Amino acid sequence: MRQFVQQLVNGTVLGATYGLIALGYTMVYGIIQLINFAHGEIFMVGAFGGLTVYRYWLPEAWADKVWVALPAVLVGAIAVSVGTAVLMERLAYRPLRNAPRLAPLITAIGVSIFLQEAVRLFYPDGKRQQSFPQLISSGTFEVAGVTVAWVSVFVVVVALALMVALQVFVKTTRTGKAMRATSQDPESAKLMGIDVDRVIVITFVLGAALAAVAGVMQGMRFAQIDFRIGFLVGLKAFTAAVLGGIGNLKGAVLGGFLLGIVEALATQYVPQGSSWKDVWAFVVLIAVLVIRPGGLLGERVAVRA
Amino acid sequence: MPESARRHWRRSAVVLLPLLLAAACGGGDEEETGGGASGQATKVVKIGVIAPLSGDLTATGTGIRNSVDLAIRQANEKNKVPGWRIELAAEDDAAKPDVGAAAASKLSSDAAVVGVVGTYNSSVALQVAPLLERANIVQISPANTNDTLTRGQNPATPDRAYKNYFRTATLDSLQGGFAADYASNEIKAKTVAIIHDKKAYGQGLADSFRGRFEKNGGKVVATETINPGDKDFSAVLSKIKPLNPELIFYGGEYPEASLISNQAKGPQAMRVPLMGGDGIVDPTYGKTAGTASNGDFGTSVGAPPESLDSAKQFIADYKAAGFRDSYSAYGALAYDAANAIINTLPTALGSATAVDDSVRRKVVEAVGKVDFGGASGKVAFDQYGDTVTKTLTMYKVESAEFKPVKTGEFKA
Amino acid sequence: MKLEKPPAPAAAGAAALVVGTLSPWATFAGFPGKMSLGGFPGGARLFCLLLAAGALLFLLDVHGRRWAALATSAGAVAVVVVNLVALVDQGGGAGSVAWGACMSLAGAGLLVAAAWRLPPSSPAAGEATPTRAPVIEIAAIAAALLAVLGAVVWGLRIEESSRFVSFLVFVTFLSIAVHHLGVFSWLGAVFARHHRIALLLAGAVAVAFPFTQQGNAYWIRVFASIGVFAVAAIGLNVVVGLAGLLDLGYVAFFGVGAYVGALLSNAALTTSNVHLPFLLVVLLGGCIAAVFGLVIGAPTLRLRGDYLAIVTLGFGEIFRITANNWDGLTRGPNGISGIPDLALGGFDFGQSHAVLGVTLPGFANYYYVELVLICAAIVVFTRLNDSRIGRAWVAIREDEVAAAASGIDTIRLKLLAFAIGAFLAGAAGTVNAHVTTQVSPDSYTFLESILLVAAVVLGGMGTVPGALLGSTALFVIPEKLRSFQDKRLLLFGAALILLMRFRPEGLVPSRRRRRELREEAPEGVPGLAGATGAAPGGPAS
């Protein structure tokens, strides 16, 4: 039983990362029906952005003062992610807005490959793992026999806070309402005077910011990052988004946590489970799409004629 | 002819003619190969390198390539093979068997290649060796440790697998056994959890460790497998933790090992050292695992380069040559491998004007008989192609760096 | 035919260009192609000189000459620029560029400007492509095919990357120029008129290729790999190009075939000792892959296009991870190795054989087997394309709801496409197992699926020459540019982005696809189909 709870804890932490990234996927798909393959790379690039700030711009004296270092790293990460996402939308996706599905999808794959390689080739010593500062102490505490790390608590709390903030934003602010309107019906939204292009950019920005935070947290948990962390996590996060219902914010969060927990439990209870870990995400995806294509909480996408 | 027709002919002629010309001119430009000054009549002989020059393990592969390059440069300077210039032909295998096979194919079809130093990964060597054997090109690996490469399918009844394959690194069965003895006798661990990445090297090493450890009376409480490229090991470590192992043995490479060590000591709060093979002994390990890795162990083939006089010369020469990357753990072994080939060249080439099949065969034969003192110690091969120097070293991490703690041989 | 007086800038430009190509381009010795010597057009300068022939267009008023002249002169500029970059990079600074290069650049620039100023050509109103005597037309086909063979063989022999890139640039711009002069549409019509003979000649050229290698196995091995890849690409072309189903996990079918072939071949390091005759294995590999295709397709083909893409991606990964972990069957990450060469009736495929005085290395045998497979695949593809099934696929692709409303059983037809595509990939996989002598999960990654999709998309969706061209390009160019090995994937990603932005229909598109992707008005009015050249059903459509 204790093992079960321990794996639940592990899974929740894992799921927090998936959820944050899934939000980005789900928002973009909800608005322009594009699977942004490169979103996983946005996550990776954000992590590298945070690392760059820490390594090259933060003065030595403040390197271990969490209250200064952590916000600085986060700001750096968000800046880089958002910048990349905006450029991506402008240069690669916007011209293909009206093209048949195949073109933007392949473009997204191309962008994903390009970003991975760009970091690998042009970041100093990019080919190797980069050690990432563990700004939150790596200590642990025990609760009823279950080991929990402080950094894990931090990750889950921050993730949940951001998810709630996003919900509030989308529900109450004007921009949020504009986003919802555009995802329901872009044509009518335009007729209502909503600047659809701006809304799309904002969607990308929000998704990128969340992914950047997830990237920094990944770095802190594992004390290292490298150029390949984006790919598989991206795929799984998209699975989580579909699991919860694409276009549905709460669904993405739920899907993320569920997926993380399934992975952890499968590792525990399936023999040699750890090497089969990645399969579960795909099995879950296929099962969901076959049994309940709308996802657990129902999808929110306009049907393109 | 009508007007439009003539127009057509002119069009076609204007266009097809250059193409045909180009095809015809093909023969003439053949002498343009290579970028060297073609003034002198120096004959060229090449030594190939197949190692990971891209991907995760680039650091190691580059060290191997640079060390071979150093040996070649020195040979050219000293004019070790009069009338011939030695060149380096390095190909990337990206640590993947199929890329390595393509590289081996490319090198075998290059007529000037007389020998290859490589590979690093045992799994890649399993593809490369048969291809090079077909072309009678000698292959000396500075790092492969998997038994089957020299001892054949069933190492218990050894049968030489590839006539052209040699190595300056020693076997997994010896390395695993050495590690197990150290674990039982020095660390005095009674229970071990084994994790490996299922590849030829990792699994082979883990199996030989297990065999010896159990023979010593120890107990393996868990065997788990992971995928290279994984980042999050919390689940598998949580699974092992309640079984209370005193040591975690990892069969695999340093990227995953550093993550496992960091996550075991940190978020999972297991106060247990990690031990691995030569695949984890790399400066990057300590750097990325941080202080959590202090107290971890790793074995490596050969004596520590810094302790041998012969190696000190190699280290000094390497520094003087100005390479940007370090020589990695296999530099000295690769250097010796290259010299083993170079030493055979004067006799094997003899009065030949170009490298051909008979030259390659002579090199294979001659390499089998070499015996000289190299940077890593005595360089000579037994009847299976294994090195006769079976020294192994156990390293321990202190202040995030691997420091040698014991050097010796494994006695079965 | 009147000869015009060329405008002064054109004449000056042409003269400068020609003189420039005969003069040194490099100030240091050792640059490939002896470019530091003057008096002859060595190295990449040859390409420039040949492109200078485009200046002749200023003398003749032929249809389409403006674009052709622009293309040839722009090509000359591009070649010079490529070499300038290489010179500076290798020579270490601007001082390595000699005056010949500058002269050529200036000359080419003048030609571009002059070409821009040319008046647009009078439209070739009502000019039907003339029919010549069959002998002449067939000779033209043969000449064109030989030219392609010659270019390929010659291009492969180029060792240095800068010269190879110059060669590619040269071929590209020359093709554009030729295209605008109407040669390709004329050739297309001629091919269509004599298509049986054309195919025979094309086959002969393909068979002749290994003979041009003089016993050297390297490129034959590459082409043997291209061969299996091309069969898989044609299969994917059925799925993506014809039926419009985006499959991002296609390599799994290829892998299934490869493992089937490996397990049934009595390999050295394997888990099964069964050994079956090769032809049976190929069929089995194809059928088992087809079964997988049906299994994967059945629950998922009713999904939206995007979801199908992700699900197929998922299946691709599931296949790879399963192969990686199911040690009992697949030997895990180490895979099955030591797969023996084929031996059909005593003929050992691994050995080289002497044919007509030339030694053909072992890989040539595999190459020929693959040619047979490719022919079979092409037959399957074209028959399907021209059938009711093919037309039903087009209908599904363009508007599924309308197709279903007209009574087409969309699910069954989509499944059929999937199964056929999977069968072709599986068959190709079994041959591949013998070519590479080993199968391991590492070879069947998501990136490989993307490469297959890229080959189909780059080459041109829905056409056979497109799939062949795409496969060849994707193999040959990275092999040739091994010095750029490190940046290879970066360039690949960038290429995908640019391709989708500027030419999503690929290099040799079917006209239907082109229209779909560009949403432009259909070319010409149906009645004048003959005037635009290619008849439907020919290789270009």
Side-chain angles (χ1 to χ4, degrees):
Chain A
M1 182 61 197
R2 200 187 65 178
Q3 275 301 97
F4 181 76
V5 177
Q6 174 74 64
Q7 295 292 17
L8 272 184
V9 169
N10 290 338
T12 311
V13 180
L14 199 55
T17 310
Y18 291 155
L20 279 177
I21 304 177
L23 281 169
Y25 273 109
T26 216
M27 286 197 291
V28 167
Y29 193 88
I31 282 219
I32 51 175
Q33 285 83 54
L34 165 74
I35 303 176
N36 184 6
F37 260 100
H39 193 59
E41 275 28 87
I42 301 280
F43 157 81
M44 180 267 294
V45 158
F48 271 89
L51 180 66
T52 310
V53 164
Y54 184 84
R55 246 200 223 166
Y56 300 115
W57 285 347
L58 197 62
E60 285 284 331
W62 292 341
D64 47 359
K65 302 220 179 343
V66 172
W67 304 111
V68 176
L70 187 56
V73 166
L74 283 172
V75 164
I78 293 178
V80 172
S81 276
V82 166
T84 314
V86 168
L87 268 179
M88 215 167 67
E89 193 274 327
R90 206 60 183 70
L91 297 176
Y93 297 149
R94 198 182 289 192
L96 295 174
R97 203 73 71 71
N98 293 317
R101 292 296 176 79
L102 188 64
L105 201 56
I106 296 193
T107 305
I109 297 176
V111 172
S112 165
I113 297 177
F114 185 82
L115 283 175
Q116 268 188 45
E117 289 296 299
V119 169
R120 180 178 78 91
L121 288 170
F122 302 127
Y123 195 83
D125 212 17
K127 303 190 207 289
R128 303 210 208 179
Q129 284 89 352
Q130 314 287 325
S131 56
F132 198 94
Q134 284 182 287
L135 295 167
I136 308 282
S137 84
S138 47
T140 61
F141 60 94
E142 294 242 335
V143 165
V146 170
T147 314
V148 182
W150 282 113
V151 66
S152 308
V153 172
F154 178 77
V155 164
V156 174
V157 164
V158 168
L160 284 173
L162 284 176
M163 293 166 184
V164 167
L166 183 69
Q167 265 296 96
V168 166
F169 179 85
V170 168
K171 271 260 156 58
T172 58
T173 64
R174 275 192 71 181
T175 320
K177 287 187 194 154
M179 283 168 65
R180 277 188 289 148
T182 314
S183 77
Q184 271 180 14
D185 189 342
E187 295 298 326
S188 310
K190 255 189 250 182
L191 290 173
M192 293 289 116
I194 292 176
D195 183 348
V196 165
D197 279 344
R198 202 176 80 96
V199 165
I200 293 178
V201 171
I202 292 180
T203 310
F204 270 86
V205 164
L206 285 175
L210 290 173
V213 173
V216 168
M217 299 204 298
Q218 161 114 346
M220 290 199 304
R221 278 181 67 212
F222 298 131
Q224 54 167 271
I225 57 173
D226 66 75
F227 67 93
R228 286 179 321 175
I229 52 178
F231 174 65
L232 204 53
V233 172
L235 275 183
K236 291 191 196 168
F238 182 74
T239 305
V242 170
L243 173 59
I246 197 93
N248 185 327
L249 296 184
K250 289 199 206 115
V253 172
L254 177 66
F257 282 114
L258 262 181
L259 194 61
I261 293 176
V262 163
E263 260 188 42
L265 289 177
T267 307
Q268 174 73 32
Y269 294 114
V270 171
Q272 309 273 296
S274 186
S275 27
W276 291 91
K277 201 164 49 114
D278 303 327
V279 177
W280 308 122
F282 298 115
V283 169
V284 162
L285 174 69
I286 294 167
V288 167
L289 286 179
V290 170
I291 302 173
R292 202 180 147 89
L296 290 172
L297 296 183
E299 55 181 38
R300 305 265 171 83
V301 187
V303 177
R304 272 226 304 204
Chain B
M1 270 198 244
E3 187 69 273
S4 52
R6 232 182 295 158
R7 215 175 301 165
H8 265 286
W9 277 112
R10 251 171 264 231
R11 274 190 236 169
S12 325
V14 157
V15 157
L16 282 181
L17 219 46
L19 276 178
L20 291 172
L21 261 179
C25 290
D29 263 331
E30 280 225 51
E31 296 93 272
E32 306 281 20
T33 56
S38 43
Q40 322 139 253
T42 332
K43 297 170 278 192
V44 170
V45 62
K46 293 191 193 163
I47 297 187
V49 169
I50 302 182
L53 300 174
S54 68
D56 256 352
L57 305 169
T58 311
T60 317
T62 319
I64 294 177
R65 187 202 51 199
N66 291 347
S67 307
V68 173
D69 196 12
L70 179 67
I72 291 180
R73 284 191 208 177
Q74 288 179 339
N76 282 333
E77 272 160 34
K78 297 192 190 120
N79 204 10
K80 262 198 190 166
V81 191
W84 293 81
R85 199 180 73 244
I86 314 179
E87 278 183 10
L88 175 72
E91 294 290 337
D92 178 25
D93 66 14
K96 292 210 177 92
D98 48 337
V99 182
S105 181
K106 180 155 201 254
L107 287 176
S108 1
S109 63
D110 185 339
V113 169
V114 78
V116 168
V117 175
T119 59
Y120 169 65
N121 302 83
S122 297
S123 44
V124 178
L126 285 166
Q127 294 315 312
V128 165
L131 285 171
L132 292 179
E133 188 187 32
R134 239 193 260 192
N136 292 315
I137 299 180
V138 73
Q139 177 186 357
I140 310 186
S141 171
N144 294 150
T145 49
N146 188 285
D147 286 29
T148 58
L149 285 163
T150 46
R151 300 292 166 113
Q153 280 278 54
N154 193 352
T157 48
D159 176 26
R160 181 130 188 231
Y162 304 104
K163 301 274 174 304
N164 65 317
Y165 177 86
F166 300 86
R167 56 176 156 202
T168 47
T170 191
L171 301 160
D172 270 342
S173 48
L174 301 179
Q175 207 186 157
F178 182 77
D181 279 347
Y182 192 90
S184 313
N185 304 333
E186 316 277 345
I187 307 179
K188 305 224 197 302
K190 305 254 185 339
T191 53
V192 153
I194 295 184
I195 306 179
H196 65 82
D197 65 4
K198 298 168 67 76
K199 289 173 33 170
Y201 164 68
Q203 185 153 26
L205 188 65
D207 285 343
S208 61
F209 176 89
R210 179 214 312 277
R212 183 68 175 184
F213 190 73
E214 283 178 343
K215 197 152 165 228
N216 289 345
K219 183 157 152 9
V220 173
V221 297
T223 308
E224 292 292 327
T225 58
I226 54 104
N227 295 322
D230 276 353
K231 298 277 177 270
D232 189 318
F233 299 103
S234 54
V236 71
L237 287 169
S238 295
K239 195 170 172 188
I240 297 178
K241 188 174 169 192
L243 303 168
N244 289 322
E246 291 166 59
L247 176 73
I248 300 178
F249 185 82
Y250 178 67
E253 314 278 351
Y254 54 86
E256 288 73 38
S258 63
L259 282 164
I260 293 178
S261 177
N262 180 290
Q263 288 172 31
K265 319 286 180 55
Q268 301 300 324
M270 295 169 77
R271 260 173 274 284
V272 163
L274 180 131
M275 180 188 284
D278 58 319
I280 76 169
V281 177
D282 184 279
T284 327
Y285 181 83
K287 272 198 216 128
T288 43
T291 46
S293 63
N294 286 340
D296 286 345
F297 297 93
T299 54
S300 197
V301 295
E306 297 74 27
S307 68
L308 293 171
D309 288 323
S310 44
K312 293 204 180 95
Q313 181 62 44
F314 162 71
I315 296 174
D317 290 341
Y318 190 93
K319 252 204 201 100
F323 291 111
R324 213 175 44 180
D325 305 272
S326 113
Y327 49 83
S328 84
Y330 304 93
L333 294 160
Y335 180 76
D336 287 342
N339 279 324
I341 300 178
I342 293 175
N343 289 353
T344 64
L345 288 180
T347 340
L349 284 171
S351 53
T353 46
V355 176
D356 62 15
D357 199 54
S358 68
V359 171
R360 287 175 174 177
R361 280 179 209 266
K362 286 198 198 129
V363 172
V364 173
E365 241 193 87
V367 165
K369 304 199 185 103
V370 295
D371 188 340
F372 65 96
S376 59
K378 177 161 136 133
V379 180
F381 304 107
D382 67 13
Q383 77 268 41
Y384 298 110
D386 281 315
T387 173
V388 300
T389 314
K390 300 196 195 304
T391 328
L392 293 158
T393 307
M394 177 64 78
Y395 290 83
K396 187 173 174 181
V397 179
E398 278 157 34
S399 318
E401 277 184 23
F402 275 105
K403 303 256 175 2
V405 290
K406 178 172 175 175
T407 307
E409 287 199 8
F410 172 66
K411 306 271 185 292
Chain C
M1 158 124 356
K2 45 182 169 57
L3 283 171
E4 290 185 353
K5 182 167 176 286
L17 182 58
V18 169
V19 170
T21 56
L22 297 173
S23 328
W25 279 18
T27 52
F28 60 98
F31 192 76
K34 302 199 171 103
M35 304 250 271
S36 51
L37 306 174
F40 72 104
R45 295 178 288 180
L46 179 64
F47 304 134
C48 248
L49 184 61
L50 292 172
L51 284 171
L56 289 171
L57 290 167
F58 286 99
L59 297 174
L60 314 163
D61 184 11
V62 290
H63 174 63
R65 69 165 177 168
R66 180 165 178 266
W67 281 109
L70 267 177
T72 48
S73 36
V77 169
V79 169
V80 179
V81 167
V82 163
N83 282 280
L84 280 179
V85 170
L87 277 167
V88 169
D89 181 58
Q90 261 197 281
S96 16
V97 178
W99 60 277
C102 304
M103 195 156 200
S104 301
L105 187 60
L110 276 174
L111 278 174
V112 170
W116 190 262
R117 294 248 205 79
L118 280 176
S121 326
S122 42
E127 180 193 319
T129 48
T131 316
R132 320 232 43 85
V135 172
I136 298 184
E137 295 199 326
I138 293 175
I141 296 178
L145 286 171
L146 276 176
V148 168
L149 179 66
V152 167
V153 170
W154 196 54
L156 292 182
R157 285 213 203 120
I158 302 178
E159 294 263 345
E160 317 82 26
S161 13
S162 64
R163 211 149 68 101
F164 184 72
V165 173
S166 309
F167 176 72
L168 281 183
V169 167
F170 164 69
V171 168
T172 311
F173 279 94
L174 191 61
S175 311
I176 298 177
V178 162
H179 168 63
H180 280 287
L181 288 177
V183 173
F184 284 154
S185 11
W186 180 69
L187 273 177
V190 170
F191 263 74
R193 275 200 282 270
H194 303 274
H195 72 259
R196 266 184 238 280
I197 300 195
L199 287 175
L200 220 70
L201 286 175
V205 163
V207 166
F209 173 73
F211 288 90
T212 63
Q213 294 298 303
Q214 297 162 342
N216 185 329
Y218 176 49
W219 282 110
I220 301 184
R221 184 178 195 277
V222 175
F223 272 83
S225 299
I226 295 179
V228 276
F229 195 81
V231 175
I234 294 178
L236 185 60
N237 217 346
V238 170
V239 176
V240 174
L242 293 185
L245 305 167
L246 183 55
D247 185 343
L248 291 181
Y250 191 69
V251 80
F253 300 132
F254 190 71
V256 164
Y259 270 97
V260 166
L263 284 169
L264 297 177
S265 67
N266 202 18
L269 296 173
T270 180
T271 53
S272 108
N273 284 322
V274 181
H275 183 58
L276 293 179
F278 177 63
L279 286 173
L280 187 58
V281 173
V282 171
L283 284 175
L284 257 181
C287 290
I288 296 181
V291 166
F292 269 79
L294 290 172
V295 164
I296 293 174
T300 59
L301 282 174
R302 23 187 196 98
L303 295 173
R304 264 212 285 278
D306 297 333
Y307 283 178
L308 181 66
I310 289 292
V311 164
T312 48
L313 205 174
F315 271 112
E317 285 295 288
I318 291 180
F319 167 76
R320 185 184 62 82
I321 297 173
T322 309
N324 203 30
N325 288 315
W326 193 355
D327 293 358
L329 185 66
T330 63
R331 289 194 81 231
N334 306 309
I336 299 176
S337 31
I339 299 174
D341 286 311
L342 290 176
L344 288 183
F347 184 82
D348 184 358
F349 273 62
Q351 297 298 341
S352 25
H353 296 90
V355 179
L356 298 180
V358 182
T359 323
L360 294 181
F363 285 116
N365 305 319
Y366 288 108
Y367 175 78
Y368 288 125
V369 168
E370 287 156 21
L371 278 185
V372 170
L373 260 184
I374 292 179
C375 288
I378 293 179
V379 166
V380 167
F381 186 88
T382 33
R383 286 258 150 272
L384 282 172
N385 202 6
D386 288 339
S387 68
R388 285 182 63 180
I389 296 178
R391 287 191 285 276
W393 281 336
V394 174
I396 295 176
R397 199 171 76 212
E398 298 196 352
D399 190 335
E400 190 165 339
V401 178
S406 356
I408 295 178
D409 189 342
T410 54
I411 298 293
R412 209 170 66 94
L413 282 171
K414 288 207 267 190
L415 269 178
L416 185 66
F418 235 60
I420 294 179
F423 180 87
L424 285 173
T430 54
V431 178
N432 197 40
H434 288 277
V435 172
T436 55
T437 70
Q438 55 88 30
V439 289
S440 68
D442 269 338
S443 327
Y444 308 110
T445 58
F446 173 62
L447 190 61
E448 294 294 321
S449 287
I450 294 298
L451 276 173
L452 276 163
V453 170
V456 168
V457 168
L458 167 73
M461 281 192 285
T463 65
V464 164
L468 294 176
L469 182 62
S471 313
T472 312
L474 279 180
F475 262 83
V476 169
I477 295 182
E479 271 299 320
K480 259 310 178 194
L481 298 180
R482 251 179 187 254
S483 51
F484 288 120
Q485 179 81 358
D486 221 23
K487 303 204 174 39
R488 200 179 62 149
L489 279 179
L490 183 76
L491 295 171
F492 179 64
L496 280 180
I497 300 173
L498 292 171
L499 184 70
M500 284 294 110
R501 176 78 178 80
F502 296 113
R503 204 177 160 92
E505 69 269 20
L507 290 172
V508 186
S510 69
R511 275 180 313 170
R512 198 180 273 144
R513 265 308 199 175
R514 195 202 176 109
R515 246 173 282 159
E516 273 174 42
L517 285 166
R518 293 214 177 207
E519 291 181 334
E520 58 189 4
E523 309 167 15
V525 177
L528 288 174
T532 49
S541 77

